[in-house]
Amino acid sequence: MRRTKKERQEHLQETIQANPFVTDEELAGQFHVSVQTIRLDRMELSIPELRERIKYVAERNMDDEVRSLPIEEVIGDIIDIELDKSAISIFDVKKEHVFTRNGIARGHHLFAQANSLAVAVINDEMALTRKADIQFTRPVREGERIVAKAKVIRTEKLQTIVKVSSFVGSELVFRGEFSMFRAPLPDKEGQDETGN
């Protein structure tokens, strides 16, 4: 059964509120209408385009500041971060990120997004990658959006273990466990690991 315009717009608004990163193309498929219809509905409802929604969410969620590297050095756009706990970034795969002969993203872009997110989530002035155990689970193509999710697993002495999973839609495309070196943490008496 086809929805009325009013019903479609109500559902569209709810869908975008639930997932502000959904593309017009995905919405068109979900609602069985053209991309142009979705764009017109968004305009009538004063819902900004995807890029503006991403900026808004990123600005709203950046209460914690990235300390371990300048934000412009993070590969992808951080949309959520809670230092020493978790972080999320998105990366749109463009023509310059893929091999020309097959349109598949170069692996170092997926790794760079995950690695820089693992560095960014560390609440310290310095964080360096000591070791990474990574796995690419499927090729990513031009035009796809990668959502990387980092989670701090544990921190002990001079290292923090960060697990990063990257998805296109709901499909896992990359996973990695990063062992991150960080400055010594102060102990309970206010001394660091070196006794100072």
Side-chain angles (χ1 to χ4, degrees), residues 5 13 26 52 67 79 81 86 89 95 107 124 126 139-140 143 147 155-156 160 169 173 186 193:
K5 179 178 177 179
Q13 209 159 17
E26 291 167 334
E52 293 302 314
R67 294 183 59 209
I79 57 170
I81 188 164
S86 63
S89 77
K95 187 175 184 172
D124 205 320
M126 182 185 67
V140 176
V147 178
T155 299
E156 47 193 43
T160 295
V173 295
E193 304 278 334

Side-chain angles (χ1 to χ4, degrees), residues 23 39 68 129 169 177 189 192:
T23 66
R39 290 181 179 151
S68 53
T129 305
E177 187 171 288
E189 288 84 40
D192 65 22

